[in-house]
Amino acid sequence: MSLRSNVFYKSLTNLTVGIAVSSALFLTACNDGGSQLDKEVAAPVDLSVFEGCYTVSSEEPAQIRVSQQDGAWVMQMKEPANAKRVWDDAEPLELIENSEIPKFFSIDPDNVDAVLGRPDRVLVLAHVKPVYANIDPLLDSEYLSYIYRGANTIYRVECDEVNTDILANPHANIIIDNVNESS
């Protein structure tokens, strides 16, 4: 081999090694940056979207109140008209992971901002992203509720301090049977 071709091959080898090392460093940097980006994107869930009062019909008085007390999220139900108070004792609520959404709602978890529920999961509330709520014809509210095996939209309404006699409602005499049990 001539000196000229020997220098050429050494330069080519150095260039190839340089490209390989640069590519490896670049790919490593991309992977690390992606992991860092994922950590930054996973912002804490804003549960303040739930603060307020709710009812099953937008034209009825509030029946459930969600608030923050002593740094924890709680819910309260309206007391009957003959009670000496308007709201019952506060029950704790907790953040529910989006991966659990299919247990309660038939909605893609990517379309939900936050989920909050009682520890026993008898009541679960979900806030649907406003953009999705506007385009889904089955939703007429940004809020979903799951109450003992049934899911429906609920409405955020003004909180009030007026008792509601839920038992005086003729629709309250509905008997809920376990749909999984055969007759």
Side-chain angles (χ1 to χ4, degrees), residues 9-82:
Y9 285 118
K10 278 187 175 180
S11 296
L12 187 58
T13 302
N14 288 342
L15 179 63
T16 304
V17 169
I19 290 173
V21 169
S22 296
S23 296
L25 290 173
F26 178 73
L27 291 174
T28 302
C30 286
N31 286 341
D32 289 345
S35 298
Q36 185 65 28
L37 183 61
D38 290 344
K39 290 176 187 171
E40 291 173 10
V41 171
V45 176
D46 179 15
L47 297 178
S48 68
V49 296
F50 292 112
E51 192 158 16
C53 291
Y54 300 89
T55 186
V56 293
S57 168
S58 61
E59 299 181 11
E60 292 181 12
Q63 297 171 355
I64 299 172
R65 178 168 64 183
V66 175
S67 61
Q68 197 171 19
Q69 294 179 6
D70 300 323
W73 288 95
V74 297
M75 66 159 286
Q76 294 172 279
M77 298 287 295
K78 277 269 180 93
E79 289 280 17
N82 62 356

Side-chain angles (χ1 to χ4, degrees), residues 93-115:
L93 296 172
E94 60 188 22
L95 174 68
I96 297 175
E97 297 295 323
N98 277 17
S99 61
E100 290 190 53
I101 289 173
K103 294 178 184 177
F104 310 105
F105 307 107
S106 57
I107 187 169
D108 185 339
D110 290 339
N111 296 320
V112 176
D113 294 275
V115 185

